């Protein structure tokens, strides 16, 4: 119910995440309408509760997808800024991140020896940590298949069986 002109009281929740505690309606209120993607300008589509950019090549969407995948796999220190720089040097998905060398990481703007070593160590840590199948499926950014759905799927099957299923088997 937040609108332009309202006053919002925010409280820090946990470590960082802000939580809206109260909305005080302003004297003049306007509905918030966003018609175009702020990153690429393409039309936005509302699918409750989210807005989606209709441009499948939108760099903002690509950054968000890759950041989400990294987070789900257990990367702790890779945010949107680093992901944006990784995409600029040719990274398209998590598999590409796992193949990066230190020399390639030195191509990232603003990354000197310490930050390159830290990023490389983070990549190696995740790469060498066993990852459950459900986490791998959830990081593929398949619409409507997040962590909970992925966990549910793997209660009933394995990756090998999943790859062999036809649509009818999968729906069951």
């Amino acid at each position: 119910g937040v609108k332009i002109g309202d006053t919002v009281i925010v409280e820090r929740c946990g470590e960082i995440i802000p939580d809206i505690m109260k909305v005080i309606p302003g004297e003049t209120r306007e509905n918030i309408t966003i018609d175009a993607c702020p990153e690429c300008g393409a039309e936005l589509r509302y699918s409750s509760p989210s807005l989606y950019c209709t441009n499948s090549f939108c760099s903002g969407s690509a950054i968000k997808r890759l950041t989400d995948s990294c987070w789900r796999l257990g990367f702790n220190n890779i945010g949107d800024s680093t992901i944006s720089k990784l995409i600029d040097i040719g990274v398209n998905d998590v598999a590409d991140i796992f193949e990066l060398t230190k020399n390639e990481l030195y191509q990232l703007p603003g990354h000197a020896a310490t930050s390159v070593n830290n990023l490389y160590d983070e990549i190696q840590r995740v790469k060498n940590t066993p990852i459950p199948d459900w986490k791998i499926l959830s990081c593929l950014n398949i619409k409507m298949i997040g962590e909970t759905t992925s966990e549910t799927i793997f209660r009933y099957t394995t990756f090998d069986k999943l790859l062999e299923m036809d649509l009818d088997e999968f729906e069951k």
Side-chain angles (χ1 to χ4, degrees), residues 37-163:
C37 173
E39 188 69 31
C40 72
E43 177 188 355
L44 293 176
R45 187 166 293 135
Y46 179 75
S47 179
S48 185
S50 302
L51 285 172
Y52 293 96
C53 179
T54 57
N55 176 6
S56 57
F57 300 104
C58 175
S59 63
S61 295
I63 292 167
K64 176 72 172 134
R65 282 190 305 271
L66 193 50
T67 302
D68 287 349
S69 293
C70 288
W71 176 79
R72 288 180 177 167
L73 288 176
F75 284 93
N76 296 324
N77 300 310
I78 297 182
D80 290 352
S81 174
T82 301
I83 293 295
S84 177
K85 293 173 186 177
L86 289 171
I87 289 172
D88 288 345
I89 65 165
V91 169
N92 294 308
D93 53 38
V94 175
D96 290 342
I97 292 174
F98 288 135
E99 300 300 320
L100 289 169
T101 65
K102 279 189 181 181
N103 287 337
E104 290 168 318
L105 293 175
Y106 275 110
Q107 295 176 30
L108 299 175
H111 280 66
T114 300
S115 54
V116 165
N117 287 330
N118 289 340
L119 181 54
Y120 184 79
D121 290 346
E122 176 78 355
I123 292 167
Q124 297 311 304
R125 181 190 63 76
V126 173
K127 187 176 179 178
N128 294 310
T129 301
I131 301 170
D133 288 347
W134 66 267
K135 277 193 174 189
I136 294 170
L137 181 62
S138 75
C139 84
L140 295 178
N141 296 307
I142 300 169
K143 191 173 182 175
M144 306 299 291
I145 300 184
E147 290 186 345
T148 303
T149 302
S150 295
E151 284 183 280
T152 302
I153 289 169
F154 283 104
R155 277 190 225 133
Y156 301 99
T157 192
T158 64
F159 248 126
D160 290 337
K161 290 179 184 175
L162 186 62
L163 293 171

